[in-house]
Amino acid sequence: MKKIIGGLVFFLFVSTVNAQNYLPVDESSTVKFTIKNFGLTVNGSFKGLKGKVVFNPADLSTALMSTSVEAATINTGNATRDAHLRKEEYFDVIKYPRISFISTKIVSSINEGMYLMEGNITIKDVTKKIAFPFKAILTAGGYLLEGTFKIDRRDFGVGGNSMVLSDKLTVTLAVVAKKN
């Protein structure tokens, strides 16, 4: 009986250690984007990062990133522009309050500390597959996950047709994930 109880305790301990569950820390993380408007680069960001991260470099079969940001937190440093971007033609933040990403696959790269993430990004109820490389940096109590990807805003019905706003934008992530 002692062996069974001891084995069960050991199994639960190992399962907990290997689970590697983390929560993204909004205050320490950044979700930034850049886009050309009238030929000038506009930088912006989102806050309100929530979700969960499951990451263990030794076992990527269980790896998962399921996160979202609040669309209404868009900040380009111009309050008038930000208010315009919250409207129906752009992010329609009343109807679609969150922008989300859920990974479908994470695999290691040939470069140490580098990985490839595949998943689905959803903006305004439109979901598209994306894939991008990211770096996982071990920190005290978790990881810093850094990556960059490009999307076409028109794929998500953001901004309609525009002669002055670029279709392509670059998203840069620096997600601090701490143990749950």
Side-chain angles (χ1 to χ4, degrees), residues 158-175:
V158 176
N161 293 326
S162 175
M163 299 284 289
V164 297
L165 183 62
S166 176
D167 294 342
K168 305 288 184 195
L169 68 131
T170 302
V171 178
T172 304
L173 306 171
V175 175

Side-chain angles (χ1 to χ4, degrees), residues 20-88:
Q20 305 295 325
N21 292 313
Y22 302 94
L23 292 175
V25 181
D26 182 50
E27 299 80 26
S28 305
S29 300
T30 59
V31 177
K32 296 181 178 180
F33 67 90
T34 58
I35 190 168
K36 294 277 187 182
N37 189 21
F38 285 105
L40 301 173
T41 299
V42 174
N43 297 304
S45 64
F46 290 96
K47 293 304 279 174
L49 182 63
K50 290 184 181 179
K52 77 175 190 174
V53 175
V54 178
F55 187 74
N56 178 353
D59 181 12
L60 294 174
S61 67
T62 60
L64 170 73
M65 181 177 239
S66 177
T67 57
S68 67
V69 293
E70 294 176 25
T73 65
I74 191 165
N75 181 356
T76 63
N78 181 316
T80 302
R81 178 176 39 221
D82 296 344
H84 185 69
L85 292 172
R86 291 181 185 104
K87 293 183 178 180
E88 184 178 350

Side-chain angles (χ1 to χ4, degrees), residues 107-155:
V107 296
S108 59
S109 153
I110 58 171
N111 299 321
E112 187 175 334
M114 293 295 296
Y115 303 87
L116 178 66
M117 184 169 336
E118 296 177 11
N120 297 308
I121 186 168
T122 302
I123 303 171
K124 290 178 70 174
D125 241 6
V126 175
T127 301
K128 297 286 181 181
K129 291 182 182 195
I130 62 170
F132 61 96
F134 75 96
K135 180 187 258 185
I137 302 165
L138 187 61
T139 63
Y143 280 93
L144 170 61
L145 308 171
E146 297 178 319
T148 300
F149 60 90
K150 294 180 187 267
I151 59 174
D152 188 323
R153 66 173 179 81
R154 290 180 19 172
D155 287 346

